[in-house]
Amino acid sequence: MPLPLVVAAGGLAVAAVSGVAAGVDGVRRSRDASGRVSRAKKHVVSAASRAESAWAEADRHVRAYGDLQLHVQVDTLGAWASWLEENERKVRDFEGHLVDGVAIPPFDLPELKLQVIEAERMLSGGVSAGIAGVLARQAALTGVHSLASAGTGTAISGLSGAAAKSATLAWLGGGSVAAGGSGVAVGTIMLHGIAVAPALLTFGLGLNVQGHRAQTRAREFEKESRIEVARLKSQRLLIERLEVRVEELELVLHGLDERASEALDELQQVEFDPAGHVELFMRVALLIEGLREILATRVVDEAGVLTPESEQVVIIHRTSTASTTEAPT
Amino acid sequence: MSTNLPISSNTTGLSGPVAAEEVFDRVVGAVREWQETVAVEATKQRAIAAEEARWLAAIEADREILLTYLDRSFDERAESFRRLFEELDRAMSGDTTHVADVLGAITALAMKSPFQDLKDVDTVTANLHDPNYGW
């Protein structure tokens, strides 16, 4: 065989082997990309599920706190309203007076009674939608539920994006190979009647390029998924702190209610004499006042949205879920 | 460019040497394109990894600061509530002014949520480093 032919044959053999190797590597890379996308999706779904569970748990907790609020209103404020009603004439004499330099809290008996009636209605399930106070407290009971949906919605929305990208990436596992430019190149070469070796090399390189590109897209998907997982983790941990806040309010409400009930029991047991029991009366009035202030401190507002204070959770979450087109420096 | 490859004419009418030259050019072009693409994709992947690292670091740092702040705040507040309720129990047998003061402190503390301070990470960080910060 003439030397040029030997060289040419050797070159063709190298080209063929290289082409096959590049093609195999390209297919491996494409499969690797598909696997990465699949694993990344699973991580996001898992993180979203954990965040959703945290919302559900917070929801249950806020509902329990709302239930405690209603019972305090019905039992303690109800008992206080009844006592005030029975002793209204004597109590009126106190109005505007100071005890040890402390002003006696104003007694708005109609409003107090209305608050108790609203709470009773809510506990019995008969809610009047026209009463703003009721709506507010109803929101305290149910608001987090809508937040849970919102929280999950964010995650789901992230998933939607991921799913869309996954669909985009789906072709990377092999479809692109079948439809890629390398096929055209092979066809062109074969059309010209050239040997298989250069065609194999070109085809293999085409597959390899597809594999590298698939890995880049998969890496981009992985990046976004990992960021989403990190955000969902932040969201979940902040939700857990929101529960701590509810526990705190629960503890304070319970502490004041316990003391107010005891003092009120004591007051109910005496034959009320404004001159002789003014200090006992003041203790009850102040405790009830404090109790009402805590009752007015809500975790969620009338629309079922977190109050401005706890809304920070959402703000922080939104900040960290802002577009990732501009990475932090 | 010519070649000694014994390529015969084909249906396209191209002569052997011409076809071989074209094939050679295509192969060289494909190799060059492959090299360029691999380099470009490697660069892109490094950029993606760097961007991911920056984002994750920023999210984790923010999370750490905010959670540390909230946890410390809730711990301090729990202790404050415990002390205030003890003080309230003592005050209940004393004068009304003291009861009013302690109750005022309890309700003020309860109404001020630690979440109110989470306006931005910089403020939270500054508070965390302030030894005189009131929780």
Side-chain angles (χ1 to χ4, degrees), chain A residues 26 50 77 81 91 116 158 254 270-271 282 293:
Chain A
R50 284 196 294 272
L77 295 191
V91 170
V116 173
H254 191 265
V270 299
E271 182 63 38
M282 272 299 280
E293 284 183 15

Side-chain angles (χ1 to χ4, degrees), chain A residues 15 23 43 54 79 112 233 260 320:
Chain A
H43 288 149
L112 185 64
K233 184 179 177 184
S320 60

Side-chain angles (χ1 to χ4, degrees), chain A residues 21-171:
Chain A
V24 168
D25 184 58
V27 169
R28 182 191 63 76
R29 286 176 186 276
S30 292
R31 284 185 180 161
D32 172 65
S34 293
R36 284 182 177 204
V37 169
S38 179
R39 285 191 295 276
K41 278 177 68 178
K42 281 181 187 167
H43 288 149
V44 174
V45 168
S46 173
S49 172
R50 284 196 294 272
E52 191 176 354
S53 297
W55 275 117
E57 185 59 33
D59 187 24
R60 279 193 290 275
H61 212 142
V62 171
R63 282 169 190 266
Y65 177 60
D67 202 43
L68 173 65
Q69 283 183 314
L70 291 176
H71 278 101
V72 167
Q73 287 172 81
V74 170
D75 299 338
T76 310
L77 295 191
W80 174 236
S82 298
W83 186 91
L84 280 177
E85 201 166 21
E86 287 168 17
N87 296 275
E88 193 171 5
R89 190 181 52 77
K90 295 175 186 173
V91 170
R92 288 288 169 215
D93 294 340
F94 282 145
E95 281 192 319
H97 288 197
L98 296 176
V99 177
D100 291 340
V102 179
I104 292 176
F107 314 113
D108 190 346
L109 194 53
E111 188 191 323
L112 185 64
K113 285 167 73 177
L114 182 62
Q115 187 176 355
V116 173
I117 290 167
E118 287 168 3
E120 282 172 344
R121 281 182 186 174
M122 285 204 65
L123 276 178
S124 63
V127 179
S128 166
I131 303 171
V134 171
L135 284 177
R137 290 177 193 94
Q138 187 184 31
L141 299 179
T142 61
V144 168
H145 185 68
S146 59
L147 275 171
S149 306
T152 310
T154 307
I156 288 168
S157 131
L159 278 178
S160 302
K165 283 180 184 168
S166 173
T168 308
L169 288 168
W171 60 270

Side-chain angles (χ1 to χ4, degrees), chain A residues 177-200:
Chain A
V177 171
S182 55
V184 175
V186 169
T188 307
I189 289 169
M190 294 310 285
L191 188 64
H192 289 169
I194 305 302
V196 171
L200 273 178

